[in-house]
Amino acid sequence: MLRINRGIVLLPALALAFAMAACGDDDVPTGPGPGDNDFEWTGDVAQGLAIEIKGISGGIAASLASGTEVEVYADLAGRQDDPSTVSIEVVQHEGGVTICSMYPDAAGQPPNVCAPGTDGHLGNNENDVVVTYSVRVPVGVHFVGRTVAGNVAGQSLDGDAFAYIVSGNVEIDATGIVEASTVSGLIDVEFGESDPDQDLIFSAVSGSVTVRVPADTNADARLSTVTGSVTSDFPIVETSPGIWEATLGAGGNLVSLSAVSGNVTLRSGG
């Protein structure tokens, strides 16, 4: 299984504030498609490697590809700023392919650099162009979506999936493992791997967290919330105020669900 470094691209404070304002609750990515887009990339990514999208403002929608190639489409739209001021960069590396929204550099700030994972640097310099991505992911290829303001959705993915957001919702179902975090938004995911080979963290500051796991999962579970409720299809025990724990099956790596202001729910996915 591919292991992904956790985290979100850090932005300057002004860029972050602007990007969060650009994302509304109804910003559900439906995504562009062939022949109806401003950017298109298709290419081979080997099974076990990942296609990673790194945006700033705009949603990312992933679905299962019908063929063996990764397909990435994007639309660019601005309210006041010209979409042509934003480019999209493709970086191929040993872990797969990373595609980034590249905004103009800001004076006095490090230059924008597209790099996999938490490496590199991305900022929007208060540019209001929104980049909406649609990704078609072949069987066995993993998906990583990172954005500051926007939702990340993954439908019927046949591999691992990871989503890291500042302001936006995560909705994913995948046959492998899943991990997700958001500061402001909800998480609703389902994964199919019954023996996760790494700890899986699902965290929201303001928003609810719902995770569905296989009924025969072998993992240790921890559920925590400050102001919300906790619900579980598996027997859980409160080990300290606001923290519940359980051993699923034979136990194993940690599956952690946490919310500061929101409900936490662990479901048996069957």
Side-chain angles (χ1 to χ4, degrees), residues 164-210:
Y164 307 106
I165 306 173
V166 175
S167 177
N169 302 328
V170 179
E171 296 185 66
I172 290 175
D173 67 272
T175 61
I177 60 174
V178 175
E179 183 173 75
S181 66
T182 181
V183 175
S184 176
L186 64 82
I187 294 173
D188 190 336
V189 303
E190 178 174 353
F191 64 84
E193 175 55 62
S194 59
D195 290 289
D197 67 346
Q198 67 181 74
D199 292 345
L200 302 177
I201 309 300
F202 304 91
S203 66
V205 175
S206 176
S208 295
V209 177
T210 300

Side-chain angles (χ1 to χ4, degrees), residues 231-269:
T231 304
S232 174
D233 289 344
F234 302 89
I236 55 175
V237 176
E238 188 172 16
T239 56
S240 61
I243 298 176
W244 288 258
E245 296 183 348
T247 300
L248 310 185
N253 286 308
L254 180 65
V255 176
S256 173
L257 289 66
S258 65
V260 176
S261 176
N263 301 327
V264 172
T265 304
L266 179 63
R267 295 294 189 195
S268 173

Side-chain angles (χ1 to χ4, degrees), residues 41 50-52 88-94 96-100 102 113-116:
W41 180 87
I51 175 66
E52 177 183 39
I88 298 176
E89 184 172 343
V90 179
V91 176
Q92 299 186 2
H93 50 86
E94 63 180 10
V97 173
T98 295
I99 295 179
C100 303
M102 303 297 291
V113 176
C114 182

